[in-house]
Amino acid sequence: MIVLADADLDAAVDGGFFNQGEACTAASRLLVERPVYETFLARFGPAVARLRVGASRCVPRTADDTSPTSQPRHC
């Protein structure tokens, strides 16, 4: 993912986790333009810290859960 100085930083932070690694568009690398690097990092770090990896969609979830199950019908 490329984050430029005029980007919506909140959307960029959220966009890094949108596909949970299940699609070819999942962000595995971040390129952040220098003028917004510190601001982006200050938002991105806490977002990463809130993630709970491995919770299935088959159990109650929060917005910060990631899951290996992409669809509830797969439970």
Side-chain angles (χ1 to χ4, degrees):
M1 178 167 60
I2 298 172
V3 181
L4 300 176
D6 63 348
D8 177 339
L9 296 183
D10 292 325
V13 166
D14 292 341
F17 306 111
F18 176 71
N19 289 320
Q20 303 173 7
E22 298 172 353
C24 59
T25 57
S28 58
R29 289 184 175 82
L30 297 171
L31 299 173
V32 182
E33 197 168 13
R34 185 161 296 164
V36 293
Y37 176 79
E38 293 297 330
T39 303
F40 179 82
L41 193 61
R43 296 179 190 189
F44 191 73
V48 171
R50 285 190 305 269
L51 289 177
R52 290 184 7 194
V53 179
S56 172
R57 289 184 186 260
C58 304
V59 296
R61 299 168 44 90
T62 68
D64 298 321
D65 288 346
T66 61
S67 170
T69 305
S70 63
Q71 298 293 324
R73 69 179 183 265
H74 294 152
C75 294

